[in-house]
Amino acid sequence: MKRFFIILCFIGVSFAIGYGIGIGLEHLTGDISIGGWEMVGLLVWGVVAVVLAFIVHTFIHEFGHMLFGLLTGYSFLSFRLFNVVLQREDDGFHWKRFNINGTVGQCLMIPPGEEQPPYFWYNVGGVLMNLLKVVGCIVALCLFPLSQWLIVLCIGFIVIGLWMIILNGIPMVVSGLPNDGKNILILWRHPEQRRYFGAMLSVVGEQSRGRRLKEMPWEWFHSEPVTPASSVIQLSARNLYYCHLMDELRLDEAREVAEEIGKIGDGLPMLFRMEINCDRLLLELATLNRCEVVGHLWNERLQQYVKAARKYAPLKCAVLFAYEYINNQNPEAAAPYYEEVKTRQNDYAQPGEALTALAVMDYIKGCSINY
């Protein structure tokens, strides 16, 4: 995230300097009069304009997903900007905190009860709203007499808007996740995967209401073995399948499926690979506990990832618990991770995941508790 904002600031400074040079040249030719301090102000304003444009474009992008989702039969689940989430639960709306590395916003909707839910407008809605904002700024520049300050602001909105349209509209995997264009392309080419797309959204919706995976319809978790040629949607469906097995405490079966995905190795998107390795480590510790496998998985990079993500993801606390309890044979050091999930289980964006984490940790302790 810090690196991302540094890049944004660099873009803003570069743009402001370029604009300042243009104003300076006009000043030299006598077409415009601008003082030195005003030039400094324009440079600072260029940075502010870019940051402001980024925040607004992120908001309207997610709003676009929500709007077009509602128009095509989806129902609202959550709206996230940075790490602040407005989430609808059974008893109303709640503010929570959640984050996914490499993302700054997310709007999740619950699909209509169809085997192949509509997918195009929900996915394209964010890009369309960014495009609408860009067009509005171009019209303002062309038709209205604006001050140089508003010109800088409009150009900032145009530059950031075009950047977000490209980043989200051209099919690609960004930060380990398929962008909107990639989702549309996959679901258009492979209609059979649309049920995976709908099932994944439905699962997230139920987990946000505190339901465990084992309590959900089994047909949501049907999947096929994956290969290096599998799409991210297929990989995600396979991930949910072994998570369902984990929630049923069929840990050996879950480990085998996680290992199947892990064999793809560098062919996995980075974020997906980190998530899979977290789950593989937890399942390995809770079953075979092979020293060479644990040592290979628990490298410095994964340690940093788990410790950073545990704030929002209770299963990461379960990983740390299992490592202390089993690998280090230190129940006292493991106990705080259990208590953290137990105490905060209703604060997580997906309380259902917290129940799974508690069940796995109780299994490791040799307990049998129903949540």
Side-chain angles (χ1 to χ4, degrees):
M1 181 65 69
K2 291 180 181 178
R3 184 186 305 171
F4 188 72
F5 275 104
I6 290 172
I7 293 172
L8 276 181
C9 289
F10 176 78
I11 293 173
V13 171
S14 300
F15 161 72
I17 290 173
Y19 183 81
I21 291 173
I23 295 294
L25 290 174
E26 290 187 74
H27 174 59
L28 290 175
T29 59
D31 294 331
I32 193 170
S33 178
I34 183 170
W37 284 111
E38 191 173 4
M39 183 73 70
V40 173
L42 281 174
L43 295 178
V44 174
W45 179 238
V47 177
V48 174
V50 168
V51 174
L52 181 62
F54 173 71
I55 294 172
V56 172
H57 268 293
T58 300
F59 177 84
I60 65 175
H61 180 90
E62 301 307 333
F63 177 79
H65 287 307
M66 182 181 71
L67 176 62
F68 284 88
L70 291 172
L71 291 174
T72 51
Y74 287 72
S75 57
F76 178 82
L77 173 60
S78 67
F79 191 101
R80 175 172 66 87
L81 192 62
F82 300 101
N83 66 346
V84 179
V85 183
L86 177 63
Q87 182 164 294
R88 190 184 72 175
E89 299 180 2
D90 290 336
D91 60 345
F93 291 90
H94 297 270
W95 291 102
K96 298 198 172 184
R97 291 189 175 274
F98 183 71
N99 191 37
I100 300 175
N101 285 347
T103 67
V104 291
Q106 187 178 42
C107 179
L108 292 175
M109 309 287 285
I110 300 174
E114 304 174 19
E115 183 173 342
Q116 292 193 5
Y119 68 92
F120 178 79
W121 292 110
Y122 171 51
N123 279 284
V124 82
V127 172
L128 289 180
M129 292 300 289
N130 293 134
L131 179 60
L132 182 63
K133 181 65 176 176
V134 168
V135 171
C137 288
I138 292 174
V139 170
L141 285 173
C142 295
L143 299 183
F144 301 101
L146 303 177
S147 70
Q148 56 201 17
W149 305 94
L150 285 178
I151 291 173
V152 170
L153 183 63
C154 283
I155 294 177
F157 270 90
I158 292 169
V159 170
I160 296 301
L162 291 174
W163 174 72
M164 290 194 70
I165 290 168
I166 292 170
L167 189 66
N168 292 284
I170 297 177
M172 67 181 84
V173 176
V174 182
S175 299
L177 297 171
N179 69 357
D180 301 327
K182 185 73 170 179
N183 278 332
I184 292 171
L185 183 63
I186 292 172
L187 296 172
W188 173 64
R189 287 180 173 176
H190 305 282
E192 73 281 1
Q193 294 185 35
R194 295 173 194 171
R195 66 184 180 92
Y196 295 153
F197 176 75
M200 286 186 287
L201 291 174
S202 297
V203 167
V204 172
E206 292 301 307
Q207 281 194 306
S208 72
R209 296 189 174 101
R211 289 186 66 190
R212 291 176 57 174
L213 298 178
K214 70 177 186 178
E215 299 170 335
M216 301 178 199
W218 176 244
E219 56 266 22
W220 288 358
F221 302 93
H222 285 181
S223 68
E224 301 294 332
V226 292
T227 69
S230 298
S231 71
V232 176
I233 291 177
Q234 289 173 305
L235 293 171
S236 299
R238 197 61 170 160
N239 172 273
L240 279 182
Y241 176 74
Y242 79 68
C243 286
H244 187 280
L245 295 174
M246 186 194 306
D247 194 42
E248 291 186 328
L249 298 180
R250 296 160 61 182
L251 302 185
D252 281 298
E253 296 174 70
R255 188 199 70 251
E256 290 172 0
V257 178
E259 288 175 344
E260 168 202 306
I261 302 175
K263 288 177 181 177
I264 297 176
D266 292 340
L268 293 170
M270 177 55 69
L271 178 62
F272 203 91
R273 192 188 321 160
M274 299 300 287
E275 285 291 320
I276 293 295
N277 286 343
C278 287
D279 293 337
R280 286 183 62 197
L281 178 61
L282 175 60
L283 293 165
E284 179 66 31
L285 287 164
T287 55
L288 300 179
N289 191 27
R290 294 166 291 188
C291 293
E292 67 278 8
V293 176
V294 172
H296 173 71
L297 291 171
W298 194 233
N299 54 44
E300 183 177 354
R301 189 169 194 175
L302 192 68
Q303 293 177 40
Q304 293 175 348
Y305 180 80
V306 170
K307 291 173 182 176
R310 64 177 264 210
K311 183 177 181 180
Y312 307 107
L315 276 171
K316 305 303 183 292
C317 284
V319 171
L320 294 167
F321 174 91
Y323 190 79
E324 292 291 350
Y325 200 99
I326 298 173
N327 189 78
N328 294 346
Q329 298 184 4
N330 190 345
E332 290 76 16
Y337 299 115
Y338 182 93
E339 293 302 320
E340 179 177 336
V341 177
K342 185 75 172 176
T343 303
R344 297 185 56 231
Q345 65 182 87
N346 293 321
D347 297 330
Y348 293 109
Q350 296 182 0
E353 182 184 327
L355 296 178
T356 300
L358 288 170
V360 173
M361 289 188 282
D362 280 322
Y363 175 89
I364 290 172
K365 293 193 296 183
C367 300
S368 179
I369 299 177
N370 293 319
Y371 293 97

